Amino acid sequence: MTTEKKAPARRPRSPKPAPAAEACGTCDGSGETTTTVRVGRKRREIGAIQSGLCPSCLGTGTA
Ligand SMILES: [Zn+2]
């Protein structure tokens, strides 16, 4: 006859860390892309920057 010791149920103290997500190369992980606003026929830059959702990752920042 063997005596089985029951291992105490251990609850993980911290949830498993999320696997390192690969940062999106298009937006560099920010989830946003910035485009310089150009106007006119010569596409002159007016110094304004337009930001938008990254089309590659749709704002998640991960590839
Ligand atoms: Zn992106």
Side-chain angles (χ1 to χ4, degrees), residues 10-26:
R10 272 198 309 172
R11 298 189 73 182
R13 275 188 303 171
S14 55
K16 224 178 183 183
E22 234 176 281
C24 174
T26 306

Side-chain angles (χ1 to χ4, degrees), residues 2 6 11 13 15 19 23 30 33-35 39 43 46 58 61 63:
T2 54
K6 271 192 181 175
R11 298 189 73 182
R13 275 188 303 171
S30 66
T33 54
T34 49
T35 330
V39 292
R43 298 179 64 78
I46 57 172
L58 300 177

Side-chain angles (χ1 to χ4, degrees), residues 26-47:
T26 306
C27 61
D28 208 18
S30 66
E32 282 186 352
T33 54
T34 49
T35 330
T36 311
V37 179
R38 294 183 175 90
V39 292
R41 285 187 210 154
K42 292 181 179 178
R43 298 179 64 78
R44 185 170 61 91
E45 295 183 8
I46 57 172

Side-chain angles (χ1 to χ4, degrees), residues 41-62:
R41 285 187 210 154
K42 292 181 179 178
R43 298 179 64 78
R44 185 170 61 91
E45 295 183 8
I46 57 172
I49 292 184
Q50 205 173 34
S51 66
L53 275 185
C54 172
S56 296
C57 64
L58 300 177
T60 60
T62 53

